[in-house]
Amino acid sequence: MKVLVPVKRVIDPYAKVKANAEGNGIDTTGVKFEINPFDEIAVEEAVRQKEKNPAITITVVSVGPDAAEEQLRKALAIGADEAVLIQTDEDLDSRAVAHELAAFAQELQPQLILMGKQATDNDANQAGQRLAAKLGWPQATFACAMEFAGDNLTVRRETDEGEETLSLPLPAVVTTDLRLNEPRYIALPGIIKARSKPLTKRPRLTDVKSQVRTVKVEQPAPRQAGVRVNSVAELMAALRDRGAL
Amino acid sequence: MEQGGSFFGTTPARITTVADTSSDERLMIETAEQFSLNEVLPLVDRLEKQEPGLMPSLIRKAGDLGLCGIDASDQYGGLGLGKNLAARILEFMSLDAAFSVTYGITSGISQLGLTLFGTDAQKAQYLPRLTSGEWIGAYCLSEPNSGTDALSMTTRAEKRGDHYVLNGTKMWISNAQWADFFLVMAKVDGEHVTAFLVEKSMPGVSISREEHKMGLKGSSTARVILENAEVPAENVLHEIGKGHQVAFNALNIGRFKLGAMSMGPARQAIMHASGYAQDRKQFGQPIAEFGLIQQKFADMAMFYFVAEAMLYRTGANIDRAFETMGGTPDGNRKAAEEYAIECSACKVFTTEAEAAIVDDCIQVYGGYGFTEEFPVARIYRDARVSRIYEGTNEINRIFLADRLVRKLGDGAKAAGDSFISELAGRTMAKFDKNQEILGACSDLLILTFAEQSARLRAQQEGEYGQMCYDRFLNWAQPRAAIFAQRVLGEAVALPAPRPGHTEPLARRLYETRRPS
């Protein structure tokens, strides 16, 4: 059984970032990049499923710059079997990424696409849903548990109303939530083994253009110091002055 | 390839630095850091009480991740990745010093004699159990009356049929309580220093009670008592009478690695102190904004930068030496000896940098730093021994000046090099009278190596490096002048100081605070 895990190269979510000089993006000098943490959970889940069922083969794919090889190697070190880098230096929007992934999935024919519910850089939370729609496959988003059951997949997902359990026929798209698992430490022998696993680079499969354009990126205004008031009356007056009441 | 000691007189075109770390290597280092943060640090209080079984279980976990056999050969369960990467990983496995000692010894110096000098059968018997973390190893050289003067040991080995009988007491043995395997130095017939591979289960091997230490309380330190201990003759490592080669070459590499083991706790202390300085407010603002606090952080940044420059330059050179000369016991010995001078220089500089850093971190915490409620007091106590073990910094100073004279002396004397001749006149044979001057010579050599390493690293690594290098010169030049005056007996002029970059350097460290 083939499992496809798309992973995105993102700025380390714990890094302190600032706007670049042109004001159209983030200044990436000296900034560390990581696998999108939700995607790392997807890789971990795929590897855990493979440990239960050795017939699974895991392909990781990234749509991004050459440097994304680093994140793909990490996914291989965690336990994926092969990696594909669809090369582009453009910052594609969710729709364009979904088109790319759909074209790749039609070629690979996986039974399951497992991916992060969103990427921590732009938090769009769209690629998985758009991909499922494009392929016409069932989808389960925000998975917090999953299990194969015959030809179906059982997925528990967290919603505002409570926990939902879904049964999906395969092939399907599942997007992962934080609680699905906790990614393992990457064992050193796995890192060495990843060096010899196949990593293929290829050009884009479609010519779909981004429809979303980043117009401006700016630093949030620094927070102003507060004012101390001594009584409720003073507080009310201050609020009235500022037009808050 | 740079030759050992060649920093004195020549400058290489470039050196290996942490910036040369490959993405694979970074992943491995990340595993080590995550392991320390998530597995070791939360247990520090329980480790400090020596909860039974806890430390060995951590070593086993590290072994499961491949962390206990980084530079051992892959035939025997190791990864064969070399000593420089092993040291980088060790730096990040050393965020807690007590764990670091346990791990460093079992994954390093206890295995090293075997990997350098062991027969295939000896390696096959012991290395897989050590690299997997199933067994913990220890290294036994010191005795109650034989520390720095190691060859005065009195532990004896007598041959009886197919085994040796060992008698004596080995002191300050790290990992003693938990170790299953001991690399023991003893004198065959009371004369010929020889290395033995000893198992805890062999008859006549016992362990004393734990020493009551100032720091590193989570690590085990005890005496290993050999009372008619029976060790099979095939467990002689290397040759009879050549145990000093095993002991001292393990120590050379051990000194280099101790450098990395000292930087880990220093890094941890900096991260704690930088968080504290930014949170603690006095006079209405974070103390991190005050110039004298920033000065401390700028110094810490500088020491860290220079120490790393020296360490990973040396480690890369050691790896290259093993690649070109290693393979046989004799080749391995030569490779391990090649950079003995640099290993000692790294040991002295990094452990003294660690001391300065942790001391400043206590000062940043003020009164709170003097209590055990905050983590820096423990780091401070733990750090004190770094300047004592793996050869005191004093014997390392004597040793490195002596080695340089022997290595370069004849050629340099012929060329009329006054510094070397000065040194040559004051080597081991006469050091009783001249130790203070010999020490000053050594300090000059260490500063020379530090300066050159920092300069090259700064050239390769841009603005931050240049700031650290400028600050280092301001710190080092007055010291060098004092040492030079001591040697020459006359005043030495100082160059003009450079900008100290206090605030930008301090702010760089403020960014490293650990998210609480």
Side-chain angles (χ1 to χ4, degrees), chain A residues 150-208:
Chain A
D151 290 338
N152 287 347
L153 183 70
T154 309
V155 176
R156 280 212 327 258
R157 60 189 299 268
E158 290 180 352
T159 73
D160 289 345
E161 283 84 37
E163 215 170 68
E164 223 173 56
T165 303
L166 305 179
S167 176
L168 295 84
L170 296 172
V173 175
V174 173
T175 74
T176 58
D177 209 339
L178 211 55
R179 273 165 289 277
L180 181 58
N181 60 49
E182 206 176 304
R184 67 193 64 195
Y185 303 113
I186 306 178
L188 273 49
I191 298 169
I192 295 169
K193 224 185 278 168
R195 287 178 186 163
S196 52
K197 288 181 179 174
L199 188 150
T200 320
K201 293 183 185 182
R202 51 189 295 178
R204 284 191 57 185
L205 285 76
T206 74
D207 54 7
V208 177

Side-chain angles (χ1 to χ4, degrees), chain A residues 50-68:
Chain A
K50 185 186 164 83
E51 283 163 354
K52 283 189 236 166
N53 173 8
I56 290 176
T57 59
I58 304 166
T59 304
V60 284
V61 61
S62 191
V63 183
D66 277 338

Side-chain angles (χ1 to χ4, degrees), chain A residues 24-39:
Chain A
N24 61 2
I26 303 287
D27 181 1
T28 55
T29 42
V31 172
K32 209 170 117 203
F33 285 82
E34 287 286 357
I35 297 184
N36 169 35
F38 294 106
D39 293 340

Side-chain angles (χ1 to χ4, degrees), chain B residues 2 11-21 305 308-309 312-313 316 320 452-467 469:
Chain B
E2 281 188 73
T11 307
R14 82 180 299 283
I15 57 171
T16 302
T17 74
V18 293
D20 298 310
T21 312
F305 179 86
E308 278 195 332
Y312 299 117
R313 169 191 187 177
R320 283 183 211 114
Q452 190 186 73
S453 304
R455 174 159 35 98
L456 290 164
R457 184 179 175 194
Q459 278 166 13
Q460 291 164 212
E461 288 183 16
E463 196 197 354
Y464 177 74
Q466 197 57 48
M467 290 195 291
Y469 177 64

Side-chain angles (χ1 to χ4, degrees), chain B residues 23 67 92 117 132 150 187 202 247 272 281 287 334-335 340 452 484 490 495:
Chain B
S23 60
L67 288 162
F92 286 87
F117 299 104
S132 66
K187 282 183 175 165
M202 288 173 177
H272 282 303
K281 286 188 178 151
I287 61 169
K334 286 191 180 129
Q452 190 186 73
E490 59 193 61

